[in-house]
Structures are given as structure tokens and as C-alpha cells.
């Protein structure tokens, strides 16, 4: 007897229940061995005053099954509600967002008939840590965090994915010409990890020109791995230019759990009319089957789906005179896929998931920590009482032989000493104090410095320790240096 894999299913809002029914019917007819636990998420839960949109008992199901097939939900308008996706992603540590963006020319209109790109987006770090502060009257801050473990995990995931799915190349996008430490780390780890996969080509693009190339010539890319923000933007761009926003599924993969969903929303205007296209969720279901080790069923479902599309049996969103043969509803579309189980497409490329079963979940291997030494401190001030020269003059006496004022910048531009009158200054100042060359500063010296800055009447809003790691500065040097 084959053992069934427990999965948690949420039918969601709007068109969610209809496309989930269609999806589960197809998976079942194909012989998927699933033991389904159903949970409620979304609007009805939000409306019961649960700001995360998910009940505590539902977490128990997710922690038990570790596999979540999720229909789209409607996020209520207005404040106070948290994004369910972000909550699930962060709580379950789903660090990899995988989104295949494939064109189905000539059945689905696209300017890029050869496009077959998989975007692998880091899902937990970068500017999405949600650490934001208003620091002064004029300035807000959002912290961009890139970690060694986070980066190594996502980059290894991308190379493993390429290897298991017979893909030839992994491309990395960063902006490390500007963000030398954060994006620099991502790029450096990409280069290191690439060495472990000699059979897979690797390349790095600066994200701006890389994004332009991706939008213009997507057929030049295969698997593309990126930090969170670039991946968020470019996975939508890629899905859109493939012409398949309504057809794309995505996976969110973690070390312990995984979530699979369509990339579109709950389309409330189409709800309850047997109109919606279930393809995005069905393809997410295919990714789920591969993940839980049922690759033959995944292959059968995907090929039957391609054949249905190719036979011109289309829901309203894809229906086009001359291309389509029959306009069908959600249920009838699922029936058509079920009828074609065992068949393969004849014009579109068929798929095979043999050999790609399971989802390798790379862990990272910590290296011995570098030797860390504090050599100074950046003290950030909220100050609006004069020019940069006035500030330099007033602040200089707060330094002493242990830590002396070396530089002031405003929005990263050096304004003291020897600033330009032309530089626009806000009320947010970074004041850099350094220990004498070759000397190490102590926390006690920093505390004493802050005491003197306070006594001189300045409003300090934060400090950043300036450290070297094995002698290499762990801080940007500031423009003009
Ligand atoms: P949407 O994706 O729901 O709809 C955009 C357009 O695409 C609409 O015209 C819709 O009719 C059409 N469409 C979408 N999916 C379709 C399908 N399967 N078949 C046929 N047509 C389809 O985006 P929206 O209107 O901006 O958002 C509606 C709701 O969905 C909002 O509450 C939003 O917050 C939510 N949303 C949820 C998720 C999620 O749960 N993962 C993702 C995106 C949006």
C-alpha cells in the first residue's frame, strides 16, 4: 500500500474555493497520494478580529504536515491587518521563493516565445526584515540585512534546483557596485558556491542592466537568483512578460516546511461564477508533488495540462478566436485535464520530473568567525541648527585622544571637513569618530563619548560600531574618501 503524504490545504477567498476544488480533483484523478487537512484562512478569519488571518489551531496543522497548498485570499482594506503570506513565510522560515516564468506561445500571447526562466528569490532578508525607524523630523530609515547563512542557503538552493531540473546556467543579480558590503557579500558567496557546481554555467549582472536584459531578452536566462527586493520586483516582471501571470505557480521553500500557491490574487469579481482559470494553482500543485516525492504524478498532471492548453480548451482569460477551440469554466477545464491524463503535448515541450524529486534543502556551513576589533563609532545626530561647518566646529571638542571626530556626512555625502556649500543637507548627520591609527576602541570609551555628546546638548539617535574583521574594515568609508 502506498503511504499518503499529509498536506494542509486552504481554500482561500474569492475564486479560491473553485480553483482549489478543480486542482484537488485533478491531482486525485492523477493518483496523487495525499492526506488532506483543511484549514481556514483569509477574510473570514481577519473579520473575526485575528489580525494575522490564520487561527492558532491552523499553525498546528502546518507544523504537522509541513506542506501547505494555499489558494489566494482577499486582504481586507484598511489598517491593522498583517499580510498572511509574509507571516507564514517568516514563521515557517520559507527562505526560497521559486517562480517558473514560462511562455506558452502561440497559445498565450507574449513577445518572448522562447522564454523559460526560473526566478529564485531570497525570501526572508534584505529590506524586508521590517526594521524601520523615523530618526529625525525629515528622515526615515529601513535597514537592509544580508547574512552569510541566508545568502549561502538561497544560492545553494538555486544551484541545486538547476542541477535537479537539468538547467544549464545560474545568473546572480546584485547592485554590489553601490552596496559593496551587503550586495557585495551576496555576490561573493555566489562566486564561492558556484565553484561547487562546475557543470553549471554561472554569471553575475548588476541588477539594473540585468533587469533590462531580462525584460528585453529573457531567453538569455535560465535560473536567476536574487536578494529579496530585486526578486520581488523582477519575478513579477518575468511572469508578466511571459504572458502567464494567470498561469504561474510559485513555491516557498524552507528547511522544515514549504508553501505552494498561484501568483495571482483572489479575483473577487470572478468569484462563484465557475469562470476562473485554475492553472496557476494546479501548477503550484505540480511543484508540490515534486517536493513531496511524487514526480511521476507531477509529470502526468503537467503534461495533461499542457495538452489541454494546446487543444485550445481555454477559460475566458485565455480564450482567443482562431486559437482556442472551446471556452470552458473552471470545472470543465479540470475535467478536460483529467480526460488527458496520460497524454503529452504535441507542439509545446513536454515535461519530465524524473530525477528532480524532493527539494534539496541546503544548510550552510559556518566558517570560523573572523577576528573583530572596534576602531571607532558613527554617532548619528538629529540636528538642524546651522551648517555642516557649524556642526563640525561645535562637535569637535567632544572628541579626545581615544576617539576623535574624523568626518561628518549627510545622506552619505561628506560635508565636514572640507565640504561643499552646494551639498544639500537634511537634519540627519552621521558623525564618525575614530581611534588613533592602529588602536582599538573600547565600549567604555564609546559610552564616555556619548556622555560628552549629550552634555554638549546634541540629540543622538543611534550609533554604529565601526569594526574591522581580520583587519578588513566592516563599514563603508563614505563618499569623498
Ligand atoms: P488578482 O490577481 O486577484 O486579479 C487581477 C486580475 O486578474 C483581475 O482582472 C482578475 O479577474 C484576473 N484574474 C486573476 N486570477 C485569475 C484566474 N485564476 N482566472 C481568471 N482571471 C484571473 O489581483 P487583485 O484584483 O489586485 O487582488 C484581489 C485580491 O487578492 C486582493 O484582496 C489582494 O490583496 C489579494 N491577493 C492575494 C494574493 C495571495 O493570496 N497570494 C496575491 C495577490 C493578491
Amino acid at each position: 500500500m502506498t503511504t499518503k503524504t499529509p498536506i494542509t490545504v486552504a481554500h482561500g477567498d474569492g475564486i479560491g474555493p473553485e480553483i482549489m476544488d478543480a486542482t484537488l480533483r485533478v491531482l486525485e484523478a492523477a493518483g496523487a497520494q495525499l492526506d488532506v487537512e483543511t484549514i481556514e484562512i483569509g477574510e473570514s478569519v481577519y473579520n473575526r478580529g485575528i489580525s494575522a488571518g490564520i487561527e492558532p489551531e491552523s499553525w498546528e496543522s502546518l507544523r504537522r504536515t509541513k506542506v501547505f497548498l494555499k489558494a489566494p485570499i482577499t486582504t481586507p482594506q484598511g489598517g491593522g491587518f498583517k499580510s498572511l503570506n509574509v507571516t507564514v513565510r517568516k514563521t515557517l522560515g520559507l527562505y526560497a521563493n521559486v517562480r517558473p516564468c514560462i511562455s506558452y506561445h502561440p497559445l498565450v500571447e507574449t513577445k518572448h516565445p522562447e522564454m523559460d526562466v526560473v526566478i529564485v528569490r531570497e525570501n526572508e532578508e534584505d529590506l524586508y526584515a521590517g526594521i524601520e525607524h523615523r530618526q529625525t523630523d525629515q528622515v526615515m530609515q529601513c535597514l537592509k540585512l544580508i547574512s552569510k547563512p541566508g545568502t549561502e542557503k538561497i544560492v545553494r538552493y538555486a544551484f541545486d534546483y538547476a542541477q535537479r531540473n537539468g538547467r544549464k546556467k545560474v545568473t546572480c543579480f546584485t547592485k554590489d557596485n553601490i552596496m559593496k558590503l551587503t550586495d557585495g557579500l551576496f555576490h561573493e558567496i555566489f562566486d564561492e558556491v558556484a565553484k561547487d557546481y562546475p557543470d553549471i554555467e554561472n554569471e553575475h549582472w548588476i541588477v539594473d542592466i540585468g533587469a533590462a536584459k531580462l525584460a528585453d531578452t529573457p531567453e538569455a536566462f535560465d535560473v536567476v537568483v536574487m536578494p529579496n527586493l530585486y526578486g520581488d520586483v523582477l519575478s513579477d516582471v518575468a511572469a508578466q512578460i511571459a504572458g502567464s501571470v494567470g498561469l504561474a505557480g510559485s513555491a516557498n521553500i524552507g528547511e522544515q516546511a514549504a508553501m505552494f500557491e498561484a501568483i495571482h490574487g483572489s479575483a473577487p469579481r470572478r468569484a462563484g461564477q465557475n469562470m476562473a482559470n485554475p492553472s496557476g494553482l494546479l501548477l503550484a500543485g505540480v511543484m508540490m508533488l515534486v517536493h513531496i516525492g511524487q514526480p511521476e504524478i507531477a509529470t502526468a498532471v503537467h503534461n495533461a495540462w499542457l495538452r489541454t492548453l494546446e487543444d485550445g480548451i481555454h477559460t475566458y482569460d485565455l480564450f482567443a478566436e482562431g486559437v482556442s477551440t472551446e471556452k470552458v469554466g473552471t470545472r470543465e477545464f479540470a475535467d478536460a485535464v483529467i480526460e488527458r491524463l496520460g497524454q503529452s503535448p504535441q507542439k509545446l515541450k513536454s515535461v519530465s520530473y524524473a530525477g528532480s524529486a524532493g527539494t534539496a534543502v541546503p544548510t550552510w556551513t559556518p566558517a570560523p568567525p573572523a577576528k573583530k576589533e572596534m576602531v571607532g563609532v558613527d554617532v548619528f545626530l538629529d540636528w538642524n541648527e546651522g551648517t555642516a561647518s557649524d556642526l563640525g566646529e561645535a562637535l569637535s571638542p567632544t572628541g579626545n585622544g581615544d576617539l576623535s571626530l574624523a568626518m561628518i556626512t549627510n545622506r552619505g555625502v561628506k560635508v565636514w571637513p572640507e565640504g561643499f556649500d552646494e551639498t544639500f543637507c537634511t537634519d540627519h548627520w552621521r558623525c564618525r569618530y575614530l581611534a588613533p591609527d592602529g588602536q582599538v576602541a573600547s565600549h567604555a570609551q564609546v559610552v564616555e563619548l556619548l556622555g560628552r555628546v549629550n552634555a554638549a546638548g546634541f540629540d543622538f539617535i543611534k550609533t554604529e560600531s565601526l569594526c574591522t574583521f581580520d583587519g578588513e574594515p566592516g563599514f563603508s568609508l563614505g563618499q569623498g574618501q
Side-chain angles (χ1 to χ4, degrees):
M1 211 179 81
T2 328
T3 43
K4 292 190 169 192
T5 304
I7 65 165
T8 301
V9 164
H11 290 251
D13 301 317
I15 59 171
E18 295 160 77
I19 60 172
M20 183 58 85
D21 282 348
T23 297
L24 290 176
R25 263 195 320 119
V26 175
L27 299 188
E28 201 171 298
Q33 296 299 310
L34 303 173
D35 186 0
V36 173
E37 288 185 16
T38 303
I39 62 167
E40 197 189 348
I41 55 164
E43 219 174 4
S44 53
V45 182
Y46 282 119
N47 289 342
R48 287 205 289 278
I50 296 166
S51 67
I54 177 165
E55 304 261 23
E57 317 68 278
S58 300
W59 286 112
E60 284 166 29
S61 172
L62 289 173
R63 295 178 82 181
R64 193 165 45 241
T65 68
K66 304 187 189 323
V67 182
F68 188 16
L69 182 62
K70 173 184 165 290
I73 59 161
T74 302
T75 317
Q77 298 291 310
F81 300 109
K82 287 194 237 151
S83 157
L84 176 72
N85 268 19
V86 174
T87 308
V88 172
R89 231 156 49 202
K90 288 195 169 176
T91 309
L92 298 180
L94 309 182
Y95 65 87
N97 183 286
V98 184
R99 188 183 286 188
C101 300
I102 299 159
S103 60
Y104 301 102
H105 185 79
L107 302 161
V108 181
E109 211 178 296
T110 170
K111 293 181 185 129
H112 308 285
E114 303 296 320
M115 180 171 181
D116 183 357
V117 176
V118 180
I119 306 287
V120 177
R121 163 190 170 194
E122 198 290 318
N123 230 355
E124 295 184 298
E125 305 197 334
D126 196 356
L127 288 156
Y128 290 64
I131 307 175
E132 290 195 293
H133 298 95
R134 178 171 181 168
Q135 295 187 308
T136 69
D137 190 55
Q138 298 172 2
V139 175
M140 316 283 171
Q141 170 189 269
C142 176
L143 279 188
K144 171 165 168 133
L145 297 177
I146 301 280
S147 76
K148 282 187 183 180
T151 305
E152 188 174 332
K153 279 182 351 186
I154 193 70
V155 171
R156 279 200 185 282
Y157 184 88
F159 277 99
D160 276 3
Y161 180 94
Q163 201 166 52
R164 279 180 297 112
N165 289 280
R167 290 189 171 258
K168 304 282 179 286
K169 182 168 78 171
V170 180
T171 304
C172 174
F173 283 179
T174 72
K175 187 81 184 170
D176 67 337
N177 55 334
I178 302 295
M179 284 161 279
K180 294 182 170 36
L181 292 181
T182 48
D183 281 22
L185 176 68
F186 199 96
H187 185 175
E188 188 186 315
I189 290 179
F190 176 81
D191 287 346
E192 274 306 305
V193 170
K195 290 181 193 151
D196 294 340
Y197 298 85
D199 298 340
I200 297 174
E201 198 188 327
N202 71 84
E203 62 178 11
H204 171 270
W205 290 72
I206 298 294
V207 61
D208 41 29
I209 186 64
K213 177 86 175 166
L214 177 68
D216 182 62
T217 323
E219 56 279 8
F221 296 95
D222 195 346
V223 175
V224 191
V225 63
M226 292 177 248
N228 206 340
L229 176 62
Y230 314 140
D232 189 1
V233 176
L234 291 177
S235 55
D236 271 13
V237 170
Q240 180 70 30
I241 63 170
S244 60
V245 179
L247 306 185
S250 84
N252 289 274
I253 309 282
E255 288 180 30
Q256 318 269 345
M259 173 170 81
F260 302 86
E261 63 179 347
I263 70 170
H264 61 72
S266 59
R269 283 192 315 123
R270 308 287 179 199
Q273 299 162 58
N274 189 37
M275 282 181 84
N277 187 344
S279 298
L281 190 59
L282 184 63
L283 292 181
V286 167
M287 294 171 91
M288 179 189 76
L289 290 175
V290 176
H291 175 78
I292 62 177
Q294 300 185 21
E296 297 82 13
I297 315 284
T299 304
V301 171
H302 201 152
N303 283 331
W305 175 80
L306 285 167
R307 183 61 185 265
T308 310
L309 211 61
E310 189 178 271
D311 285 349
I313 299 176
H314 296 161
T315 41
Y316 82 94
D317 53 312
L318 293 187
F319 189 84
E321 292 295 345
V323 179
S324 310
T325 54
E326 200 182 333
K327 191 192 246 175
V328 292
T330 314
R331 277 192 297 274
E332 295 71 28
F333 183 82
D335 293 338
V337 177
I338 290 168
E339 271 166 34
R340 285 164 180 76
L341 285 166
Q343 297 182 33
S344 287
Q346 291 173 326
K347 286 173 244 137
L348 292 170
K349 214 167 98 205
S350 63
V351 300
S352 169
Y353 292 106
S356 53
T359 305
V361 187
T363 46
W364 84 295
T365 35
K371 184 176 177 211
K372 178 181 170 187
E373 288 179 317
M374 183 161 64
V375 296
V377 63
D378 278 346
V379 179
F380 289 76
L381 299 182
D382 178 352
W383 187 79
N384 203 8
E385 288 166 31
T387 64
S389 310
D390 297 338
L391 179 60
E393 212 169 288
L395 207 56
S396 281
T398 59
N400 63 14
D402 298 325
L403 283 168
S404 61
L405 184 65
M407 169 182 82
I408 301 175
T409 68
N410 197 295
R411 294 188 299 173
V413 180
K414 190 176 92 169
V415 292
W416 184 91
E418 293 155 21
F420 279 40
D421 289 344
E422 290 85 347
T423 308
F424 179 80
C425 290
T426 66
D427 56 3
H428 184 274
W429 308 83
R430 173 181 64 169
C431 309
R432 175 159 293 180
Y433 292 83
L434 291 174
D437 247 359
Q439 286 188 31
V440 171
S442 70
H443 285 90
Q445 287 167 354
V446 171
V447 172
E448 284 162 21
L449 169 68
L450 288 178
R452 295 193 297 274
V453 171
N454 178 49
F458 289 101
D459 173 8
F460 58 82
I461 49 178
K462 79 158 182 175
T463 64
E464 291 280 355
S465 301
L466 304 175
C467 298
T468 59
F469 291 80
D470 286 342
E472 289 292 317
F475 46 92
S476 56
L477 297 178
Q479 251 181 47
Q481 286 214 315

